[in-house]
Amino acid sequence: MVSTNQNWLEQVKEEVLEPDLPICDPHHHLWDLRPERIEPRYLLDEILVDLRAGHNIVSTVFIECGAMFKVTGQEALWPVGETEFVNGFAAMSASGVYGSSRIAAGIVGTAELRLGARVAEVLEAHIAAGGGRFRGIRCSATWDASPEIPNHRTNPIPDLYGDHDFRNGFAVLASYDLSFEAWCYQTQLPELAKLARAYPDNRIVLDHCGGPLGIGPYAEKRDEGFSEWRDNISAIAQCENVVAKLGGLNMEIVGFGWHERVSPPTSEELLAATRPYLEHMIESFGPERCMFESNFPVDKVSSSYLVLWNSFKRLTANYSAAEKERLYHDTATATYRL
């Protein structure tokens, strides 16, 4: 099965920039039977097509997406089915039969942290199912009062990061050396900063440049929204236990509208739109706490894998070799202990 916008994406063809630069892609998903997505099926065959586009992807990290949960047994343990599912593909990739890229070398699953201390049983089950690859938990908090902004599939409560029960479960992660993957909107970054300051021993990974919004009520006040986002990013970057992912800016919610065009954007066009966000992230966190991500196949709604990574490489064309090593590989492999 191919993506439903494959013919559209193929209108833009580019040469791969810096094809030898080692990359760890620290954020992608695997799923099947998702008709609402551009790529309804994204399993081993599909991700291999993207990884073989020409960039030097040496390893990847899978991030939870609600795929293949169990449907029997204790409900709190249902998400462990996703870890079992992904670890199978990771083992296939580790055999070398499918090439040198190590797919899902790290696995981030999910658990209901509002279980408090009782979440320990779920974490232990994930670790056992992960075959030595399990690295963390994501509980998405994306929520907005506007009905025009999509809330996360799990219907999070407002101010999830301040919830007493959630914090009790969050605290348990550190004792298992597991990171916390934070997916929230720009308006929720102050809540995440409070959480990070309250638990300095917990490692937090900020997804998708902190969730800038550009649709619905945010569409007509983009400059104001960017200023709010910029200030909130600067503040949370002061928390040394937070590292950041640079990507996710081509989702529909950011408001660039690439998917509505007759032809997809080139890497130059992508960079022109996303440069202010990416540069502020790097200036705020530094290369040692930043990592580029694909967010595939979600961002495939706007760009091919080849063009997306080309846009990042255009941004860093004049960066030092050491800075590139951190942004494309070393920050990710250190964060996820690959």
Side-chain angles (χ1 to χ4, degrees):
M1 184 184 293
V2 298
S3 61
T4 56
N5 66 346
Q6 189 65 35
N7 291 337
W8 181 76
L9 291 175
E10 288 178 355
Q11 294 180 73
V12 172
K13 299 184 184 299
E14 297 184 358
E15 294 294 323
V16 176
L17 301 177
E18 299 183 75
D20 296 329
L21 181 65
I23 296 172
C24 171
D25 181 352
H27 198 112
H28 72 82
H29 308 294
L30 297 167
W31 60 46
D32 199 1
L33 303 176
R34 295 285 174 93
E36 76 280 8
R37 293 292 188 180
I38 283 295
E39 190 103 7
R41 175 189 176 94
Y42 201 69
L43 299 176
L44 189 61
D45 289 343
E46 288 75 24
I47 192 173
L48 283 172
V49 171
D50 288 328
L51 298 189
R52 292 169 177 169
H55 294 287
N56 183 18
I57 310 298
V58 297
S59 58
T60 77
V61 178
F62 167 87
I63 306 297
E64 69 85 25
C65 53
M68 309 301 173
F69 280 17
K70 296 175 182 290
V71 293
T72 59
Q74 188 180 163
E75 185 173 357
L77 294 173
W78 289 2
V80 178
E82 182 173 50
T83 297
E84 294 173 342
F85 150 70
V86 174
N87 192 49
F89 286 119
M92 292 170 68
S93 176
S95 73
V97 171
Y98 302 93
S100 59
S101 299
R102 294 296 175 257
I103 298 168
I107 298 172
V108 173
T110 191
E112 176 54 83
L113 292 185
R114 295 177 73 193
L115 290 168
R118 291 177 295 145
V119 80
E121 179 185 1
V122 184
L123 301 181
E124 290 172 2
H126 273 300
I127 292 168
R133 300 181 176 94
F134 195 76
R135 294 294 182 266
I137 289 292
R138 182 167 80 159
C139 286
S140 298
T142 47
W143 178 93
D144 192 88
S146 170
E148 298 179 77
I149 304 297
N151 295 339
H152 192 258
R153 70 171 192 274
T154 56
N155 295 316
I157 62 172
D159 192 18
L160 176 66
Y161 296 146
D163 180 75
H164 175 75
D165 292 333
F166 172 88
R167 287 191 167 203
N168 284 342
F170 177 83
V172 177
L173 295 176
S175 61
Y176 287 92
D177 197 22
L178 296 174
S179 61
F180 176 74
E181 203 85 10
W183 173 213
C184 63
Y185 292 143
Q186 65 179 61
T187 51
Q188 300 171 295
L189 288 171
E191 302 166 11
L192 181 62
K194 291 178 182 177
L195 180 69
R197 288 192 292 267
Y199 296 88
D201 293 332
N202 280 61
R203 297 194 312 277
I204 296 174
V205 182
L206 177 62
D207 287 351
H208 311 330
C209 289
L213 293 168
I215 62 172
Y218 301 90
E220 296 181 2
K221 48 182 182 180
R222 196 166 192 94
D223 290 343
E224 179 183 334
F226 180 81
S227 295
E228 176 192 47
W229 171 86
R230 181 189 60 210
D231 292 345
N232 287 343
I233 287 294
S234 296
I236 197 168
Q238 299 302 310
C239 302
E240 294 184 359
N241 57 331
V242 180
V243 299
K245 286 181 176 174
L246 311 183
L249 294 174
N250 301 310
M251 293 185 286
E252 297 97 318
I253 58 169
V254 184
F256 291 128
W258 303 119
H259 61 293
E260 298 172 347
R261 297 190 356 165
V262 174
S263 60
T266 63
S267 57
E268 292 97 331
E269 290 176 304
L270 282 182
L271 178 57
T274 59
R275 181 188 289 273
Y277 296 94
L278 298 173
E279 288 188 336
H280 184 67
M281 294 293 292
I282 296 171
E283 289 168 3
S284 298
F285 285 91
E288 67 279 0
R289 287 199 289 146
C290 284
M291 58 187 112
F292 288 115
E293 56 159 330
S294 73
N295 191 35
F296 258 49
V298 178
D299 275 30
K300 200 167 190 174
V301 70
S302 298
S303 169
S304 70
Y305 201 80
L306 188 158
V307 168
L308 175 66
W309 286 100
N310 268 1
S311 73
F312 297 149
K313 289 178 178 179
R314 291 186 184 280
L315 175 73
T316 61
N318 295 319
Y319 284 32
S320 70
E323 289 170 330
K324 290 181 182 180
E325 287 171 1
R326 293 188 181 101
L327 290 165
Y328 289 97
H329 183 270
D330 292 357
T331 299
T333 56
T335 297
Y336 293 108
R337 297 178 282 120
L338 303 186

PDB file of all heavy atoms in Angstrom, residues 112 114 139-144 151-167 183-184 188 191:
ATOM      1  N   GLU A 112      -1.043   5.022  31.337  1.00  0.00           N
ATOM      2  CA  GLU A 112      -1.891   5.985  32.039  1.00  0.00           C
ATOM      3  C   GLU A 112      -1.184   6.417  33.320  1.00  0.00           C
ATOM      4  O   GLU A 112      -1.262   5.729  34.350  1.00  0.00           O
ATOM      5  CB  GLU A 112      -3.267   5.372  32.338  1.00  0.00           C
ATOM      6  CG  GLU A 112      -4.187   6.269  33.140  1.00  0.00           C
ATOM      7  CD  GLU A 112      -4.360   7.636  32.521  1.00  0.00           C
ATOM      8  OE1 GLU A 112      -5.193   7.765  31.605  1.00  0.00           O
ATOM      9  OE2 GLU A 112      -3.663   8.576  32.976  1.00  0.00           O
ATOM     10  N   ARG A 114      -1.903   8.675  35.290  1.00  0.00           N
ATOM     11  CA  ARG A 114      -2.822   9.050  36.379  1.00  0.00           C
ATOM     12  C   ARG A 114      -3.135   7.869  37.293  1.00  0.00           C
ATOM     13  O   ARG A 114      -3.844   8.021  38.293  1.00  0.00           O
ATOM     14  CB  ARG A 114      -4.109   9.647  35.788  1.00  0.00           C
ATOM     15  CG  ARG A 114      -3.852  10.977  35.057  1.00  0.00           C
ATOM     16  CD  ARG A 114      -5.103  11.520  34.408  1.00  0.00           C
ATOM     17  NE  ARG A 114      -6.029  12.040  35.406  1.00  0.00           N
ATOM     18  CZ  ARG A 114      -7.299  12.353  35.146  1.00  0.00           C
ATOM     19  NH1 ARG A 114      -7.798  12.159  33.927  1.00  0.00           N
ATOM     20  NH2 ARG A 114      -8.077  12.838  36.105  1.00  0.00           N
ATOM     21  N   CYS A 139       2.651  10.641  27.197  1.00  0.00           N
ATOM     22  CA  CYS A 139       1.251  10.921  27.507  1.00  0.00           C
ATOM     23  C   CYS A 139       0.951  12.292  26.914  1.00  0.00           C
ATOM     24  O   CYS A 139       1.406  13.311  27.446  1.00  0.00           O
ATOM     25  CB  CYS A 139       1.001  10.942  29.011  1.00  0.00           C
ATOM     26  SG  CYS A 139       0.992   9.329  29.784  1.00  0.00           S
ATOM     27  N   SER A 140       0.230  12.316  25.832  1.00  0.00           N
ATOM     28  CA  SER A 140      -0.006  13.576  25.141  1.00  0.00           C
ATOM     29  C   SER A 140      -1.034  14.417  25.883  1.00  0.00           C
ATOM     30  O   SER A 140      -2.040  13.918  26.382  1.00  0.00           O
ATOM     31  CB  SER A 140      -0.469  13.316  23.718  1.00  0.00           C
ATOM     32  OG  SER A 140       0.535  12.634  23.001  1.00  0.00           O
ATOM     33  N   ALA A 141      -0.758  15.720  25.932  1.00  0.00           N
ATOM     34  CA  ALA A 141      -1.621  16.653  26.654  1.00  0.00           C
ATOM     35  C   ALA A 141      -2.319  17.630  25.726  1.00  0.00           C
ATOM     36  O   ALA A 141      -2.999  18.545  26.192  1.00  0.00           O
ATOM     37  CB  ALA A 141      -0.789  17.436  27.676  1.00  0.00           C
ATOM     38  N   THR A 142      -2.163  17.452  24.400  1.00  0.00           N
ATOM     39  CA  THR A 142      -2.674  18.448  23.459  1.00  0.00           C
ATOM     40  C   THR A 142      -4.178  18.657  23.633  1.00  0.00           C
ATOM     41  O   THR A 142      -4.989  17.787  23.341  1.00  0.00           O
ATOM     42  CB  THR A 142      -2.365  18.037  22.008  1.00  0.00           C
ATOM     43  OG1 THR A 142      -2.720  16.655  21.807  1.00  0.00           O
ATOM     44  CG2 THR A 142      -0.886  18.204  21.723  1.00  0.00           C
ATOM     45  N   TRP A 143      -4.502  19.849  24.105  1.00  0.00           N
ATOM     46  CA  TRP A 143      -5.891  20.251  24.387  1.00  0.00           C
ATOM     47  C   TRP A 143      -6.009  21.741  24.153  1.00  0.00           C
ATOM     48  O   TRP A 143      -5.093  22.510  24.486  1.00  0.00           O
ATOM     49  CB  TRP A 143      -6.256  19.926  25.843  1.00  0.00           C
ATOM     50  CG  TRP A 143      -7.651  20.354  26.221  1.00  0.00           C
ATOM     51  CD1 TRP A 143      -8.777  19.592  26.154  1.00  0.00           C
ATOM     52  CD2 TRP A 143      -8.072  21.640  26.707  1.00  0.00           C
ATOM     53  NE1 TRP A 143      -9.879  20.315  26.560  1.00  0.00           N
ATOM     54  CE2 TRP A 143      -9.468  21.587  26.903  1.00  0.00           C
ATOM     55  CE3 TRP A 143      -7.408  22.837  26.984  1.00  0.00           C
ATOM     56  CZ2 TRP A 143     -10.211  22.682  27.374  1.00  0.00           C
ATOM     57  CZ3 TRP A 143      -8.133  23.930  27.442  1.00  0.00           C
ATOM     58  CH2 TRP A 143      -9.520  23.845  27.646  1.00  0.00           C
ATOM     59  N   ASP A 144      -7.131  22.145  23.578  1.00  0.00           N
ATOM     60  CA  ASP A 144      -7.407  23.569  23.404  1.00  0.00           C
ATOM     61  C   ASP A 144      -8.904  23.793  23.549  1.00  0.00           C
ATOM     62  O   ASP A 144      -9.708  22.923  23.204  1.00  0.00           O
ATOM     63  CB  ASP A 144      -6.925  24.045  22.029  1.00  0.00           C
ATOM     64  CG  ASP A 144      -6.912  25.555  21.915  1.00  0.00           C
ATOM     65  OD1 ASP A 144      -5.885  26.176  22.276  1.00  0.00           O
ATOM     66  OD2 ASP A 144      -7.933  26.131  21.474  1.00  0.00           O
ATOM     67  N   ASN A 151      -8.089  17.999  19.767  1.00  0.00           N
ATOM     68  CA  ASN A 151      -7.465  17.477  20.969  1.00  0.00           C
ATOM     69  C   ASN A 151      -6.913  16.081  20.682  1.00  0.00           C
ATOM     70  O   ASN A 151      -7.287  15.438  19.701  1.00  0.00           O
ATOM     71  CB  ASN A 151      -8.484  17.413  22.111  1.00  0.00           C
ATOM     72  CG  ASN A 151      -8.962  18.796  22.523  1.00  0.00           C
ATOM     73  OD1 ASN A 151      -8.297  19.801  22.265  1.00  0.00           O
ATOM     74  ND2 ASN A 151     -10.132  18.858  23.148  1.00  0.00           N
ATOM     75  N   HIS A 152      -6.029  15.621  21.551  1.00  0.00           N
ATOM     76  CA  HIS A 152      -5.416  14.305  21.330  1.00  0.00           C
ATOM     77  C   HIS A 152      -6.452  13.194  21.396  1.00  0.00           C
ATOM     78  O   HIS A 152      -7.507  13.338  22.028  1.00  0.00           O
ATOM     79  CB  HIS A 152      -4.325  14.067  22.391  1.00  0.00           C
ATOM     80  CG  HIS A 152      -3.451  12.906  22.091  1.00  0.00           C
ATOM     81  ND1 HIS A 152      -3.594  11.684  22.724  1.00  0.00           N
ATOM     82  CD2 HIS A 152      -2.437  12.753  21.192  1.00  0.00           C
ATOM     83  CE1 HIS A 152      -2.686  10.846  22.243  1.00  0.00           C
ATOM     84  NE2 HIS A 152      -1.976  11.468  21.321  1.00  0.00           N
ATOM     85  N   ARG A 153      -6.150  12.088  20.743  1.00  0.00           N
ATOM     86  CA  ARG A 153      -7.085  10.954  20.675  1.00  0.00           C
ATOM     87  C   ARG A 153      -7.492  10.448  22.057  1.00  0.00           C
ATOM     88  O   ARG A 153      -8.550   9.829  22.225  1.00  0.00           O
ATOM     89  CB  ARG A 153      -6.473   9.801  19.859  1.00  0.00           C
ATOM     90  CG  ARG A 153      -5.320   9.112  20.554  1.00  0.00           C
ATOM     91  CD  ARG A 153      -4.831   7.843  19.875  1.00  0.00           C
ATOM     92  NE  ARG A 153      -3.942   7.133  20.774  1.00  0.00           N
ATOM     93  CZ  ARG A 153      -2.644   7.374  20.873  1.00  0.00           C
ATOM     94  NH1 ARG A 153      -2.089   8.294  20.104  1.00  0.00           N
ATOM     95  NH2 ARG A 153      -1.911   6.699  21.739  1.00  0.00           N
ATOM     96  N   THR A 154      -6.646  10.686  23.075  1.00  0.00           N
ATOM     97  CA  THR A 154      -6.927  10.192  24.426  1.00  0.00           C
ATOM     98  C   THR A 154      -7.800  11.143  25.232  1.00  0.00           C
ATOM     99  O   THR A 154      -8.090  10.863  26.398  1.00  0.00           O
ATOM    100  CB  THR A 154      -5.611   9.971  25.186  1.00  0.00           C
ATOM    101  OG1 THR A 154      -4.853  11.197  25.188  1.00  0.00           O
ATOM    102  CG2 THR A 154      -4.778   8.876  24.513  1.00  0.00           C
ATOM    103  N   ASN A 155      -8.225  12.256  24.618  1.00  0.00           N
ATOM    104  CA  ASN A 155      -9.065  13.243  25.299  1.00  0.00           C
ATOM    105  C   ASN A 155      -8.484  13.669  26.653  1.00  0.00           C
ATOM    106  O   ASN A 155      -9.101  13.487  27.701  1.00  0.00           O
ATOM    107  CB  ASN A 155     -10.491  12.710  25.488  1.00  0.00           C
ATOM    108  CG  ASN A 155     -11.203  12.490  24.167  1.00  0.00           C
ATOM    109  OD1 ASN A 155     -11.130  13.332  23.279  1.00  0.00           O
ATOM    110  ND2 ASN A 155     -11.848  11.348  24.034  1.00  0.00           N
ATOM    111  N   PRO A 156      -7.282  14.251  26.639  1.00  0.00           N
ATOM    112  CA  PRO A 156      -6.656  14.650  27.906  1.00  0.00           C
ATOM    113  C   PRO A 156      -7.439  15.745  28.606  1.00  0.00           C
ATOM    114  O   PRO A 156      -8.117  16.557  27.963  1.00  0.00           O
ATOM    115  CB  PRO A 156      -5.285  15.163  27.461  1.00  0.00           C
ATOM    116  CG  PRO A 156      -5.482  15.604  26.044  1.00  0.00           C
ATOM    117  CD  PRO A 156      -6.464  14.636  25.466  1.00  0.00           C
ATOM    118  N   ILE A 157      -7.329  15.768  29.925  1.00  0.00           N
ATOM    119  CA  ILE A 157      -7.966  16.835  30.692  1.00  0.00           C
ATOM    120  C   ILE A 157      -7.141  18.106  30.546  1.00  0.00           C
ATOM    121  O   ILE A 157      -5.940  18.062  30.287  1.00  0.00           O
ATOM    122  CB  ILE A 157      -8.079  16.457  32.186  1.00  0.00           C
ATOM    123  CG1 ILE A 157      -6.679  16.248  32.793  1.00  0.00           C
ATOM    124  CG2 ILE A 157      -8.949  15.221  32.360  1.00  0.00           C
ATOM    125  CD1 ILE A 157      -6.687  16.066  34.301  1.00  0.00           C
ATOM    126  N   PRO A 158      -7.761  19.276  30.685  1.00  0.00           N
ATOM    127  CA  PRO A 158      -6.980  20.509  30.709  1.00  0.00           C
ATOM    128  C   PRO A 158      -5.981  20.469  31.870  1.00  0.00           C
ATOM    129  O   PRO A 158      -6.282  19.924  32.926  1.00  0.00           O
ATOM    130  CB  PRO A 158      -8.035  21.601  30.911  1.00  0.00           C
ATOM    131  CG  PRO A 158      -9.321  20.977  30.457  1.00  0.00           C
ATOM    132  CD  PRO A 158      -9.215  19.521  30.796  1.00  0.00           C
ATOM    133  N   ASP A 159      -4.817  21.054  31.675  1.00  0.00           N
ATOM    134  CA  ASP A 159      -3.759  21.092  32.690  1.00  0.00           C
ATOM    135  C   ASP A 159      -3.425  19.695  33.204  1.00  0.00           C
ATOM    136  O   ASP A 159      -3.318  19.470  34.404  1.00  0.00           O
ATOM    137  CB  ASP A 159      -4.136  22.009  33.858  1.00  0.00           C
ATOM    138  CG  ASP A 159      -2.940  22.300  34.770  1.00  0.00           C
ATOM    139  OD1 ASP A 159      -1.789  22.085  34.335  1.00  0.00           O
ATOM    140  OD2 ASP A 159      -3.158  22.708  35.921  1.00  0.00           O
ATOM    141  N   LEU A 160      -3.254  18.758  32.258  1.00  0.00           N
ATOM    142  CA  LEU A 160      -2.866  17.390  32.636  1.00  0.00           C
ATOM    143  C   LEU A 160      -1.584  17.387  33.442  1.00  0.00           C
ATOM    144  O   LEU A 160      -1.453  16.633  34.417  1.00  0.00           O
ATOM    145  CB  LEU A 160      -2.691  16.536  31.369  1.00  0.00           C
ATOM    146  CG  LEU A 160      -2.190  15.108  31.576  1.00  0.00           C
ATOM    147  CD1 LEU A 160      -3.222  14.283  32.336  1.00  0.00           C
ATOM    148  CD2 LEU A 160      -1.862  14.463  30.226  1.00  0.00           C
ATOM    149  N   TYR A 161      -0.620  18.221  33.058  1.00  0.00           N
ATOM    150  CA  TYR A 161       0.682  18.207  33.709  1.00  0.00           C
ATOM    151  C   TYR A 161       0.644  18.708  35.155  1.00  0.00           C
ATOM    152  O   TYR A 161       1.585  18.481  35.909  1.00  0.00           O
ATOM    153  CB  TYR A 161       1.683  19.051  32.907  1.00  0.00           C
ATOM    154  CG  TYR A 161       1.963  18.517  31.525  1.00  0.00           C
ATOM    155  CD1 TYR A 161       2.219  19.388  30.464  1.00  0.00           C
ATOM    156  CD2 TYR A 161       1.971  17.151  31.262  1.00  0.00           C
ATOM    157  CE1 TYR A 161       2.481  18.900  29.190  1.00  0.00           C
ATOM    158  CE2 TYR A 161       2.223  16.672  29.996  1.00  0.00           C
ATOM    159  CZ  TYR A 161       2.474  17.547  28.955  1.00  0.00           C
ATOM    160  OH  TYR A 161       2.734  17.067  27.696  1.00  0.00           O
ATOM    161  N   GLY A 162      -0.453  19.365  35.524  1.00  0.00           N
ATOM    162  CA  GLY A 162      -0.587  19.819  36.902  1.00  0.00           C
ATOM    163  C   GLY A 162      -1.439  18.901  37.763  1.00  0.00           C
ATOM    164  O   GLY A 162      -1.559  19.116  38.974  1.00  0.00           O
ATOM    165  N   ASP A 163      -2.011  17.865  37.155  1.00  0.00           N
ATOM    166  CA  ASP A 163      -2.890  16.951  37.878  1.00  0.00           C
ATOM    167  C   ASP A 163      -2.103  16.158  38.930  1.00  0.00           C
ATOM    168  O   ASP A 163      -1.025  15.626  38.646  1.00  0.00           O
ATOM    169  CB  ASP A 163      -3.557  15.997  36.884  1.00  0.00           C
ATOM    170  CG  ASP A 163      -4.483  15.005  37.550  1.00  0.00           C
ATOM    171  OD1 ASP A 163      -5.577  15.398  37.947  1.00  0.00           O
ATOM    172  OD2 ASP A 163      -4.070  13.828  37.677  1.00  0.00           O
ATOM    173  N   HIS A 164      -2.651  16.054  40.123  1.00  0.00           N
ATOM    174  CA  HIS A 164      -1.961  15.395  41.242  1.00  0.00           C
ATOM    175  C   HIS A 164      -1.660  13.928  40.936  1.00  0.00           C
ATOM    176  O   HIS A 164      -0.521  13.458  41.142  1.00  0.00           O
ATOM    177  CB  HIS A 164      -2.811  15.500  42.508  1.00  0.00           C
ATOM    178  CG  HIS A 164      -2.247  14.752  43.679  1.00  0.00           C
ATOM    179  ND1 HIS A 164      -1.161  15.199  44.405  1.00  0.00           N
ATOM    180  CD2 HIS A 164      -2.608  13.562  44.245  1.00  0.00           C
ATOM    181  CE1 HIS A 164      -0.880  14.337  45.361  1.00  0.00           C
ATOM    182  NE2 HIS A 164      -1.736  13.339  45.289  1.00  0.00           N
ATOM    183  N   ASP A 165      -2.642  13.197  40.437  1.00  0.00           N
ATOM    184  CA  ASP A 165      -2.429  11.776  40.157  1.00  0.00           C
ATOM    185  C   ASP A 165      -1.423  11.589  39.023  1.00  0.00           C
ATOM    186  O   ASP A 165      -0.571  10.690  39.075  1.00  0.00           O
ATOM    187  CB  ASP A 165      -3.763  11.104  39.797  1.00  0.00           C
ATOM    188  CG  ASP A 165      -4.712  11.021  40.972  1.00  0.00           C
ATOM    189  OD1 ASP A 165      -4.223  10.987  42.122  1.00  0.00           O
ATOM    190  OD2 ASP A 165      -5.933  10.997  40.754  1.00  0.00           O
ATOM    191  N   PHE A 166      -1.526  12.431  37.996  1.00  0.00           N
ATOM    192  CA  PHE A 166      -0.570  12.357  36.891  1.00  0.00           C
ATOM    193  C   PHE A 166       0.853  12.543  37.407  1.00  0.00           C
ATOM    194  O   PHE A 166       1.772  11.805  37.050  1.00  0.00           O
ATOM    195  CB  PHE A 166      -0.884  13.416  35.834  1.00  0.00           C
ATOM    196  CG  PHE A 166       0.163  13.537  34.760  1.00  0.00           C
ATOM    197  CD1 PHE A 166       0.111  12.746  33.622  1.00  0.00           C
ATOM    198  CD2 PHE A 166       1.225  14.433  34.908  1.00  0.00           C
ATOM    199  CE1 PHE A 166       1.089  12.838  32.648  1.00  0.00           C
ATOM    200  CE2 PHE A 166       2.205  14.534  33.933  1.00  0.00           C
ATOM    201  CZ  PHE A 166       2.138  13.736  32.796  1.00  0.00           C
ATOM    202  N   ARG A 167       1.039  13.528  38.250  1.00  0.00           N
ATOM    203  CA  ARG A 167       2.392  13.807  38.771  1.00  0.00           C
ATOM    204  C   ARG A 167       2.926  12.649  39.611  1.00  0.00           C
ATOM    205  O   ARG A 167       4.125  12.366  39.586  1.00  0.00           O
ATOM    206  CB  ARG A 167       2.383  15.114  39.568  1.00  0.00           C
ATOM    207  CG  ARG A 167       2.272  16.351  38.688  1.00  0.00           C
ATOM    208  CD  ARG A 167       2.537  17.618  39.465  1.00  0.00           C
ATOM    209  NE  ARG A 167       2.735  18.750  38.557  1.00  0.00           N
ATOM    210  CZ  ARG A 167       3.389  19.856  38.883  1.00  0.00           C
ATOM    211  NH1 ARG A 167       3.914  19.984  40.100  1.00  0.00           N
ATOM    212  NH2 ARG A 167       3.534  20.835  38.003  1.00  0.00           N
ATOM    213  N   TRP A 183       4.055  15.919  24.438  1.00  0.00           N
ATOM    214  CA  TRP A 183       3.409  16.477  23.249  1.00  0.00           C
ATOM    215  C   TRP A 183       2.288  17.378  23.739  1.00  0.00           C
ATOM    216  O   TRP A 183       1.277  16.924  24.263  1.00  0.00           O
ATOM    217  CB  TRP A 183       2.898  15.371  22.347  1.00  0.00           C
ATOM    218  CG  TRP A 183       2.061  15.746  21.154  1.00  0.00           C
ATOM    219  CD1 TRP A 183       1.046  15.000  20.625  1.00  0.00           C
ATOM    220  CD2 TRP A 183       2.157  16.917  20.322  1.00  0.00           C
ATOM    221  NE1 TRP A 183       0.507  15.616  19.525  1.00  0.00           N
ATOM    222  CE2 TRP A 183       1.172  16.804  19.322  1.00  0.00           C
ATOM    223  CE3 TRP A 183       2.964  18.064  20.341  1.00  0.00           C
ATOM    224  CZ2 TRP A 183       0.975  17.789  18.340  1.00  0.00           C
ATOM    225  CZ3 TRP A 183       2.777  19.046  19.366  1.00  0.00           C
ATOM    226  CH2 TRP A 183       1.797  18.899  18.379  1.00  0.00           C
ATOM    227  N   CYS A 184       2.505  18.682  23.583  1.00  0.00           N
ATOM    228  CA  CYS A 184       1.526  19.679  24.025  1.00  0.00           C
ATOM    229  C   CYS A 184       1.542  20.840  23.049  1.00  0.00           C
ATOM    230  O   CYS A 184       2.460  20.971  22.230  1.00  0.00           O
ATOM    231  CB  CYS A 184       1.836  20.156  25.442  1.00  0.00           C
ATOM    232  SG  CYS A 184       3.425  21.014  25.617  1.00  0.00           S
ATOM    233  N   GLN A 188       0.312  25.415  26.256  1.00  0.00           N
ATOM    234  CA  GLN A 188       0.485  24.547  27.420  1.00  0.00           C
ATOM    235  C   GLN A 188       1.930  24.461  27.891  1.00  0.00           C
ATOM    236  O   GLN A 188       2.218  23.802  28.884  1.00  0.00           O
ATOM    237  CB  GLN A 188      -0.030  23.145  27.087  1.00  0.00           C
ATOM    238  CG  GLN A 188      -1.500  23.104  26.702  1.00  0.00           C
ATOM    239  CD  GLN A 188      -1.914  21.745  26.168  1.00  0.00           C
ATOM    240  OE1 GLN A 188      -1.441  21.300  25.119  1.00  0.00           O
ATOM    241  NE2 GLN A 188      -2.782  21.063  26.902  1.00  0.00           N
ATOM    242  N   GLU A 191       2.734  25.113  31.557  1.00  0.00           N
ATOM    243  CA  GLU A 191       2.393  23.995  32.439  1.00  0.00           C
ATOM    244  C   GLU A 191       3.505  22.957  32.445  1.00  0.00           C
ATOM    245  O   GLU A 191       3.853  22.398  33.492  1.00  0.00           O
ATOM    246  CB  GLU A 191       1.077  23.349  31.983  1.00  0.00           C
ATOM    247  CG  GLU A 191      -0.117  24.294  31.938  1.00  0.00           C
ATOM    248  CD  GLU A 191      -1.291  23.703  31.175  1.00  0.00           C
ATOM    249  OE1 GLU A 191      -1.254  22.484  30.872  1.00  0.00           O
ATOM    250  OE2 GLU A 191      -2.226  24.456  30.847  1.00  0.00           O
TER     251      GLU A 191
END
